[in-house]
């Protein structure tokens, strides 16, 4: 169901530039399950489980031991290198374990477990700051790394690294990704409605860091309240808002760049290679909290939804809170067929709800049978719907078949590595072919082969050097 726009939002939208991309598909969005609800604050958890790896890059290194008392916001693990961030206590209390625990990736990962003393005692290092303009870019990047900020749209790439523009490259387009194109999820929408001023201030901080005098906001046209709030907060600034057609996967980095900057990120390249940097709204709000209030990333909004949840909600949640604890506040679950972390298109099915909410965890989905098409795959009828839906211009059916036949070299030639795993092809396929899963297998094999080749070349070079 699409939310109605009032006259003011219609007028704002009319004045915004309209943009979209080629390909993609329209989903059964099901956002109405939570989109009208107030964000509730989760009750304090008894304990939090904080894996040292909630980000891409090197894991952080624990600096606390069992029995230590910690305060909320205190650093409890140091970054493991430049492409890494620290981990912070998200509650005050006592460290009761430093041991491997089940991560949302399904594996056991070293984690710090804190028993909550329910006092919410803030660490003394957390102090507000009046002005950021006196700080250099380098100082702000250090604040962002120290605050443990990573891409909160799900990518979890350390934000200070993304903001460290390599020599010879220049950021020309700073884009706020406010699309939230995944079905069911409404947490970014909620954040924009509630915290538009802080998000826009965060965007100004990034403009200062990158030395750009203009920023762009791309927001899908199914979020009227967020459009109004973001417009009101940004209208006095050099920030241009784009109304993006509601279409999946509009929020993919490459497609929002294409829609707004009209630039194509070439195969194997990064957005900065075409002068673009893109940030998710929650990440930008976290930058504001860190730079203006000295607050590390210890909390986020999560959408807990699906017809398997008795009372779907959007909640402010301390990172490390068990998902079970959140579900209890939603009056539990019923007739659930599938449990997914993230959105239904790009999230990952999980076998247990006994895992913690992590920094990149935007959604908890419990889907009922009617929402889950578990019909077995049938033979391809060559309708080419998957080709029309692919936003990367690939041929999903062929790539999938190459993967099934283990012809990974051919899959590489046919650009399997360009697949962004958005799932649009599988979504539209009338015979329910396992297209994305098969392409994922091919990508994994291609990467393994490339790694092997690089290692071999390195060894040959070393041998040559020794002669
Ligand atoms: S082939 Fe990849 S990029 Fe194309 S629609 Fe399928 S999942 Fe998306
Ligand atoms: S959408 Fe499905 S049935 Fe149609 S061509 Fe693609 S794989 Fe075959």
């Amino acid at each position: 169901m699409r939310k109605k726009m009032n006259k003011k939002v219609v007028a704002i939208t009319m004045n915004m530039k309209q943009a979209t991309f080629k390909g993609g598909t329209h989903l059964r969005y099901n956002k109405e399950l939570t989109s009208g609800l107030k964000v509730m604050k989760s009750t304090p958890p008894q304990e939090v489980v904080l894996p040292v790896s909630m980000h891409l890059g090197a894991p952080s290194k624990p600096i606390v031991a069992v029995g230590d008392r910690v305060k909320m916001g205190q650093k409890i693990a140091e970054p493991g290198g430049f492409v890494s961030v620290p981990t912070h206590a998200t509650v005050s209390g006592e460290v009761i374990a430093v041991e491997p625990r089940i991560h949302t990736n399904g594996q056991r990962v070293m984690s710090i477990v804190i028993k909550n003393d329910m006092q919410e005692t803030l660490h003394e290092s957390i102090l507000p700051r009046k002005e950021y303009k006196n700080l250099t870019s380098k100082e702000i990047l250090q604040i962002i790394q120290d605050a443990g900020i990573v891409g909160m749209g799900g990518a979890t790439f350390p934000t200070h690294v993304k903001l460290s523009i390599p020599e010879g490259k220049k950021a020309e387009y700073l884009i706020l990704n406010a699309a939230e194109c995944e079905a069911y999820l409404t947490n970014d929408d909620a954040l924009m409605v509630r915290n538009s001023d802080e998000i826009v201030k965060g965007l100004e901080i990034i403009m200062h860091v990158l030395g750009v005098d203009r920023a762009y906001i791309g927001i899908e046209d199914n979020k009227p309240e967020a459009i109004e709030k973001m417009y009101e907060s940004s209208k006095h600034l050099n920030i241009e808002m784009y109304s993006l057609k509601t279409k999946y996967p509009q929020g993919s980095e490459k497609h929002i760049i294409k829609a707004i900057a009209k630039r194509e990120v070439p195969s194997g390249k990064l957005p900065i290679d075409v002068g673009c940097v893109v940030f998710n709204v929650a990440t930008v709000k976290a930058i504001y909290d860190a730079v203006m209030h000295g607050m590390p990333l210890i909390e986020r909004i999560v959408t807990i939804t699906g017809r398997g949840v008795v009372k779907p909600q959007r909640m402010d949640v301390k990172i490390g809170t068990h998902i079970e604890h959140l579900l209890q506040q939603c009056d539990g679950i019923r007739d659930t067929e599938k449990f997914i972390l993230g959105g239904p298109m790009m999230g990952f099915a999980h076998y247990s709800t006994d895992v913690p909410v992590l920094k990149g965890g935007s959604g908890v989905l419990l889907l009922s049978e009617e929402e889950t098409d578990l019909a077995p795959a049938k033979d391809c009828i060559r309708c080419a719907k998957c080709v029309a839906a692919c936003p990367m211009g690939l041929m999903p059916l062929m790539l999938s078949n190459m993967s099934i036949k283990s012809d990974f070299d051919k899959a590489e030639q046919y650009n399997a590595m360009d697949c962004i795993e958005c799932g649009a092809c599988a979504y539209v396929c009338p015979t329910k072919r396992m297209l994305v899963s098969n392409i994922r297998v091919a990508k994994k094999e291609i990467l393994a082969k490339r790694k092997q080749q690089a290692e071999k070349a390195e060894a040959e070079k070393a041998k040559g050097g020794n002669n």
Side-chain angles (χ1 to χ4, degrees), residues 227-275:
I227 289 175
E228 184 175 354
K229 295 281 185 176
M230 293 299 287
Y231 171 78
E232 288 300 332
S233 299
S234 64
K235 65 183 180 190
H236 56 290
L237 299 164
N238 199 7
I239 293 176
E240 198 174 340
M241 277 180 70
Y242 275 69
S243 166
L244 306 173
K245 193 170 164 186
T246 299
K247 190 165 63 154
Y248 183 81
Q250 181 59 85
S252 115
E253 229 175 34
K254 289 190 174 184
H255 296 93
I256 203 162
I257 289 172
K258 178 86 181 146
I260 293 178
K262 314 283 179 243
R263 293 182 180 185
E264 194 103 39
V265 182
S267 178
K269 297 283 179 190
L270 296 169
I272 191 61
D273 294 317
V274 293

Side-chain angles (χ1 to χ4, degrees), residues 98-162:
V98 181
E99 63 188 22
R101 290 283 181 106
I102 294 288
H103 191 278
T104 54
N105 65 13
Q107 291 169 3
R108 286 188 172 271
V109 171
M110 184 55 71
S111 304
I112 299 164
V113 186
I114 302 170
K115 184 166 183 276
N116 193 354
D117 65 8
M118 305 291 169
Q119 300 301 308
E120 301 213 326
T121 314
L122 209 54
H123 193 251
E124 39 289 340
S125 63
I126 297 164
L127 294 169
R129 190 176 280 110
K130 280 202 190 91
E131 190 48 271
Y132 67 88
K133 286 191 178 150
N134 302 329
L135 298 172
T136 64
S137 296
K138 203 171 160 202
E139 286 166 333
I140 296 179
L141 291 188
Q142 192 58 57
I143 292 169
I144 291 172
Q145 181 177 21
D146 287 345
I149 300 174
V150 299
M152 293 172 73
T156 69
F157 188 69
T159 302
H160 67 283
V161 182
K162 199 175 195 181

Side-chain angles (χ1 to χ4, degrees), residues 80-330:
F82 176 63
V83 187
S84 181
V85 290
T87 304
H88 298 85
T90 59
V91 296
S92 56
E94 185 188 342
V95 176
I96 54 168
V98 181
E99 63 188 22
R101 290 283 181 106
I102 294 288
H103 191 278
T104 54
N105 65 13
Q107 291 169 3
R108 286 188 172 271
V109 171
M110 184 55 71
S111 304
I112 299 164
V113 186
I114 302 170
K115 184 166 183 276
N116 193 354
D117 65 8
M118 305 291 169
Q119 300 301 308
E120 301 213 326
T121 314
L122 209 54
H123 193 251
E124 39 289 340
S125 63
I126 297 164
L127 294 169
R129 190 176 280 110
K130 280 202 190 91
E131 190 48 271
Y132 67 88
K133 286 191 178 150
N134 302 329
L135 298 172
T136 64
S137 296
K138 203 171 160 202
E139 286 166 333
I140 296 179
L141 291 188
Q142 192 58 57
I143 292 169
I144 291 172
Q145 181 177 21
D146 287 345
I149 300 174
V150 299
M152 293 172 73
T156 69
F157 188 69
T159 302
H160 67 283
V161 182
K162 199 175 195 181
L163 277 167
S164 304
I165 308 299
E167 229 11 76
K169 307 256 157 79
K170 191 168 176 269
E172 294 164 287
Y173 277 86
L174 165 59
I175 300 172
L176 180 74
N177 188 347
E180 199 171 50
C181 63
E182 259 279 15
Y184 288 87
L185 303 185
T186 61
N187 39 286
D188 282 353
D189 190 6
L191 195 64
M192 287 189 278
V193 171
R194 188 183 68 181
N195 297 102
S196 58
D197 286 345
E198 290 88 345
I199 295 167
V200 169
K201 183 60 95 181
L203 207 50
E204 285 186 86
I205 295 170
I206 303 176
M207 287 163 81
H208 173 70
V209 170
L210 296 176
V212 297
D213 58 7
R214 195 176 183 76
Y216 302 83
I217 299 174
I219 183 163
E220 276 194 342
D221 57 10
N222 62 353
K223 300 176 184 60
E225 286 160 275
I227 289 175
E228 184 175 354
K229 295 281 185 176
M230 293 299 287
Y231 171 78
E232 288 300 332
S233 299
S234 64
K235 65 183 180 190
H236 56 290
L237 299 164
N238 199 7
I239 293 176
E240 198 174 340
M241 277 180 70
Y242 275 69
S243 166
L244 306 173
K245 193 170 164 186
T246 299
K247 190 165 63 154
Y248 183 81
Q250 181 59 85
S252 115
E253 229 175 34
K254 289 190 174 184
H255 296 93
I256 203 162
I257 289 172
K258 178 86 181 146
I260 293 178
K262 314 283 179 243
R263 293 182 180 185
E264 194 103 39
V265 182
S267 178
K269 297 283 179 190
L270 296 169
I272 191 61
D273 294 317
V274 293
C276 298
V277 262
V278 183
F279 292 96
N280 159 269
V281 290
T283 313
V284 176
K285 161 73 166 50
I287 290 174
Y288 164 84
D289 289 337
V291 177
M292 301 307 292
H293 298 286
M295 183 58 82
L297 175 50
I298 59 169
E299 193 171 287
R300 65 158 301 139
I301 301 188
V302 182
T303 311
I304 302 128
T305 187
R307 292 196 165 76
V309 181
V310 176
K311 220 169 121 199
Q313 297 283 356
R314 301 186 285 196
M315 275 188 215
D316 283 316
V317 177
K318 288 275 176 339
I319 309 282
T321 302
H322 286 278
I323 285 170
E324 279 290 344
H325 180 73
L326 305 181
L327 290 172
Q328 279 164 17
Q329 296 170 74
C330 298

Side-chain angles (χ1 to χ4, degrees), residues 24 248-249 255 386-387 389-397 399 416 418-426 428 435-437 439 443:
Y248 183 81
H255 296 93
C386 55
V387 180
C390 179
M392 296 304 295
L394 303 174
M395 289 189 275
L397 162 67
L399 291 173
D418 283 354
C419 169
I420 57 169
E421 299 177 22
C422 67
C425 52
V428 298
L435 300 169
V436 199
S437 318
I439 297 170
K443 286 177 70 178

